[in-house]
């Protein structure tokens, strides 16, 4: 098992399978930093990791990101940069190096970059114990239009794009795959294919309509949850509720 998978296991077992999508809509850097720090302080007991998207990473900059990643690590949380990276090998390599310099543990990437590129990236990410998670099927309502497209693989076989992404992902030894909570039947079929060789990360619970219990029963290992916690009148109550559910699963 890779180092990142081990760290996720350690930070989640007996604690929580919830990853906070810290998607704050805030353009003042000082407020963005302080609100993120408050979320880490108030919610860490109910989480195993925190995920920062592009729109949060961009305004913050290296100094703030170092501070945030350190604060998360100090309370036992893993940190994931959700930049859905998809570029040529050289650019991918530099991009992840910059993320590691800021203290992130893992990155989310888009396998549309192709298997050779992905293989190179997996190698570079694993070299120093970081993690790589690939998109297989997103959670939003239009996801099927893209991820459900019929494509041909290198042998000429026709299959759906998400099946090809899954095949590349587990055969190239990524640490996790993202499959939306809005497609639980797909979570189940992915779980069978993966056979414990990586974990399933599921966003789309709550606001996007996914049911947390059904998602876990279908085979998701981690729930990625943003607005249902962040926009609630009582984020601690919501986070604790999700934590309890994951502990019972
Ligand atoms: P909400 O507010 O809907 O936030 O709970 C969900 C979070 O998950 C992200 N998201 C994805 N991230 N692959 C990803 O890497 C996906 O397929 C996917 N679908 C949703 C979204 O950006 C938000 O942070």
């Amino acid at each position: 098992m890779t180092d990142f998978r081990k760290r996720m296991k350690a930070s989640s077992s007996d604690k929580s399978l919830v990853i906070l999508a810290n998607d704050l809509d805030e353009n003042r850097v000082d407020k963005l930093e302080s609100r993120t720090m408050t979320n880490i302080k108030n919610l860490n007991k109910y989480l195993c990791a925190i995920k920062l998207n592009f729109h949060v990473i961009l305004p913050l900059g290296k100094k703030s990101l170092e501070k945030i990643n350190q604060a998360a690590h100090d309370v036992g949380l893993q940190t994931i940069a959700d930049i859905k990276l998809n570029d040529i090998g050289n650019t991918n390599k530099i991009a992840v190096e910059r993320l590691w310099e800021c203290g992130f543990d893992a990155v989310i990437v888009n396998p549309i970059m192709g298997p050779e590129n992905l293989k190179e990236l997996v190698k570079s990410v694993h070299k120093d114990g970081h993690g790589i998670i690939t998109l297989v099927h997103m959670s939003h309502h239009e996801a099927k239009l893209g991820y459900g497209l019929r494509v041909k693989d290198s042998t000429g076989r026709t299959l759906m794009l998400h099946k090809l992404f899954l095949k590349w992902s587990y055969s190239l030894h990524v640490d996790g795959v993202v499959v939306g909570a809005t497609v639980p039947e797909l979570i189940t079929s992915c779980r069978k294919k993966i056979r414990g060789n990586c974990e399933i990360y599921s966003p789309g619970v709550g606001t996007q309509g996914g049911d947390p219990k059904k998602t876990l029963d279908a085979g998701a290992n981690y729930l990625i949850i943003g607005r249902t916690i962040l926009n609630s009148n009582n984020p601690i109550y919501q986070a604790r509720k999700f934590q309890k559910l994951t502990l019972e699963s």
Side-chain angles (χ1 to χ4, degrees):
M1 191 181 269
T2 60
D3 292 351
F4 173 68
R5 289 180 68 203
K6 281 186 201 154
R7 293 202 301 276
M8 279 299 290
K9 219 171 170 164
S11 63
S12 62
S13 56
D14 301 331
K15 191 186 170 209
S16 174
L17 304 175
V18 180
I19 298 171
L20 178 70
N22 185 62
D23 295 338
L24 300 171
D25 183 6
E26 175 66 74
N27 60 8
R28 272 192 50 190
V29 177
D30 55 340
K31 281 203 173 166
L32 191 53
E33 182 186 303
S34 63
R35 285 180 63 192
T36 302
M37 295 297 250
T38 302
N39 284 342
I40 292 172
K41 183 166 163 262
N42 292 345
L43 302 177
N44 76 79
K45 274 189 273 182
Y46 317 109
L47 309 171
C48 59
I50 180 166
K51 179 176 87 67
L52 302 190
N53 271 32
F54 241 138
H55 69 284
V56 173
I57 292 175
L58 279 176
L60 281 173
K62 187 163 181 259
K63 225 168 133 195
S64 282
L65 289 169
E66 278 175 342
K67 204 166 143 189
I68 288 166
N69 280 313
Q70 189 58 56
H73 290 152
D74 286 347
V75 290
L77 298 182
Q78 289 291 289
T79 62
I80 302 170
D82 184 359
I83 60 169
K84 299 179 175 73
L85 183 64
N86 166 33
D87 216 309
I88 57 167
N90 180 60
T91 313
N92 287 338
K93 191 164 173 287
I94 299 171
V96 295
E97 276 164 13
R98 295 292 170 272
L99 293 175
W100 311 151
E101 281 163 20
C102 296
F104 283 102
D105 293 286
V107 63
I108 297 182
V109 311
N110 190 334
I112 197 80
M113 68 176 73
E116 281 304 317
N117 252 345
L118 185 59
K119 189 175 172 186
E120 205 181 317
L121 190 55
V122 171
K123 199 171 150 203
S124 123
V125 166
H126 283 165
K127 197 174 63 207
D128 44 9
H130 294 101
I132 178 163
I133 301 164
T134 49
L135 302 180
V136 164
H137 197 298
M138 291 183 72
S139 48
H140 62 297
H141 74 284
E142 283 194 311
K144 282 194 174 87
L145 297 179
Y147 293 86
L149 284 175
R150 294 199 166 271
V151 294
K152 279 196 166 73
D153 70 9
S154 55
T155 66
R157 193 168 68 101
T158 302
L159 73 175
M160 278 191 267
L161 185 61
H162 63 82
K163 291 202 169 164
L164 188 60
F165 282 177
L166 181 70
K167 197 169 141 196
W168 289 347
S169 300
Y170 68 72
S171 58
L172 295 174
H173 310 294
V174 303
D175 302 280
V177 292
V178 180
V179 187
T182 47
V183 281
E185 65 292 345
L186 200 60
I187 296 176
T188 304
S189 63
C190 287
R191 177 98 181 205
K192 281 189 193 139
K193 283 256 182 244
I194 289 168
R195 290 205 247 131
N197 288 317
C198 68
E199 276 65 55
I200 298 179
Y201 291 70
S202 271
V205 162
T207 311
Q208 293 185 55
D211 178 87
K213 179 152 173 24
K214 277 192 194 148
T215 308
L216 293 165
D217 289 347
N221 299 96
Y222 300 107
L223 301 180
I224 297 175
I225 307 173
R227 288 166 291 180
T228 315
I229 295 176
L230 296 175
N231 297 347
S232 124
N233 289 333
N234 190 340
I236 292 181
Y237 170 79
Q238 279 296 339
R240 196 191 293 134
K241 211 169 87 179
F242 284 121
Q243 175 205 34
K244 195 163 172 277
L245 194 86
T246 67
L247 288 178
E248 285 163 359
S249 75

